Amino acid sequence: MVIVLAYNSFGFSQEINPQISFDYTLMPATSENISAQLFDASLAIPLEFGAFSIKPVVGLRNYDFEYWEGMSFNTEPVERIHNIYSGVDINYSLDESWELGGGVEVSNASSLDANQYVVTGNAHLKYNFDTAFPVAVEVGALYDSPLGKLEFLPTVALTTTYRKYQIQLGFPKSSLQYKLSENSMLETAYAFEGDYFHIADELTFNSVEPAQEVGLSQQKLSLGYTYNLDPNWSFSLSGGYLLKNELSFYTGNDDTIYDLDLGTGPVFSTGIKFNFFNK
């Protein structure tokens, strides 16, 4: 299961143009006979002030896991997870070549206890080379869970465009895009993705300490199609295969207690995005 979450970028001059996104992801029964569904709904409000842009966002990621019978632990605390989140993305263009960017997100999937909020973030520096074919290099860092545990990781991306193709090589995502028309695009990608949350009810395994946090780690190879119906509406379809799909359970001290292999298998997703007041 992969989580799919994307936003379009538009230019604004003292305008407020809310964007609503709905994404649904289905992971049928995998090699371990575990299935899952994800529904992600979000509201974003992009704003631009010259070279400075900011995009606040609020949303809900709703997970629904179905496990095979006979698991060695009580799966109820990780069968249905409602992860509420809010955050902001910020970008600043220093000039035509240099760009600074970053973002932060706060999420909660268990209670309103301040100790159970999860804070993640990222920052990057991007340089656009003045060459015959557009080339950009981006380096940065993130504090997130694409590998299953909250940790600081480096990020890098080398992006180039040639005619209708755009190639990106890097971590946590590499992709190849092909522009079919002014309104449609194909993309194949290999991505590291994850999520991290506290659980409302602690889980006890064969250890002294109970599990209080859970990390989801996935590696996905996918092929997707995006079509813009008009300036306001767009939709996407994607199919792929999960090469890694794992839940890791941690103590309050972030020590690993148990790793659950959810199994490799196909994954499908679809999404709809709507931009208010766009002309």
Side-chain angles (χ1 to χ4, degrees), residues 39-265:
F39 179 74
D40 192 321
S42 64
L43 170 65
I45 304 178
L47 301 169
E48 286 197 9
F49 307 94
F52 180 80
S53 65
I54 181 171
K55 182 167 68 175
V57 59
V58 295
L60 168 68
R61 289 187 289 266
N62 185 76
Y63 296 91
D64 188 354
F65 291 97
E66 294 184 9
Y67 303 88
W68 55 275
E69 296 182 1
M71 297 292 288
S72 60
F73 64 95
N74 176 25
T75 62
E76 186 175 351
V78 284
E79 288 178 358
R80 290 176 180 82
I81 300 167
H82 311 291
N83 200 8
I84 300 171
Y85 63 91
S86 63
V88 62
D89 291 322
I90 300 173
N91 282 278
Y92 180 72
S93 296
L94 301 172
D95 53 33
E96 293 182 357
S97 299
W98 291 96
E99 177 185 308
L100 284 172
V104 63
E105 179 184 290
V106 180
S107 63
N108 189 292
S110 52
S111 69
L112 297 180
D113 188 337
N115 294 325
Q116 295 185 330
Y117 283 87
V118 175
V119 180
T120 58
N122 66 87
H124 70 264
L125 176 65
K126 183 177 181 180
Y127 181 78
N128 299 292
F129 289 89
D130 185 13
T131 56
F133 303 108
V135 176
V137 174
E138 180 182 308
V139 293
L142 59 79
Y143 179 69
D144 212 330
S145 57
L147 302 182
K149 176 178 287 189
L150 282 177
E151 57 187 331
F152 286 100
L153 293 169
T155 61
V156 61
L158 172 64
T159 306
T160 182
T161 303
Y162 175 72
R163 295 184 179 178
K164 294 185 178 182
Y165 295 91
Q166 184 180 87
I167 302 172
Q168 176 180 303
L169 300 174
F171 175 85
K173 180 180 178 180
S174 295
S175 65
L176 171 62
Q177 296 180 355
Y178 178 73
K179 192 173 183 179
L180 296 171
S181 68
E182 290 299 320
N183 297 322
S184 60
M185 180 188 69
L186 282 174
E187 179 185 54
T188 181
Y190 183 80
F192 295 78
E193 298 180 343
D195 202 358
Y196 192 94
F197 36 81
H198 293 264
I199 51 179
D201 299 315
E202 296 178 344
L203 284 173
T204 302
F205 296 91
N206 296 324
S207 63
V208 177
E209 289 191 79
Q212 300 178 25
E213 291 95 27
V214 178
L216 172 65
S217 174
Q218 298 176 329
Q219 294 178 28
K220 176 189 174 186
L221 181 64
S222 64
L223 176 64
Y225 173 76
T226 301
Y227 184 77
N228 298 312
L229 297 171
D230 57 36
N232 294 97
W233 289 94
S234 67
F235 76 89
S236 61
L237 295 170
S238 177
Y241 194 83
L242 294 173
L243 303 174
K244 178 184 179 182
N245 188 28
E246 188 173 271
L247 279 180
S248 297
F249 297 84
Y250 305 101
T251 68
N253 296 322
D254 209 25
D255 296 324
T256 304
I257 292 180
Y258 188 79
D259 290 321
L260 175 63
D261 184 5
L262 300 178
T264 60

Side-chain angles (χ1 to χ4, degrees), residues 15-36:
E15 289 187 12
I16 297 178
N17 183 8
Q19 301 173 355
I20 293 182
S21 297
F22 299 98
D23 292 278
Y24 174 77
T25 300
L26 171 65
M27 183 183 75
T30 64
S31 59
E32 299 296 330
N33 202 25
I34 297 174
S35 61

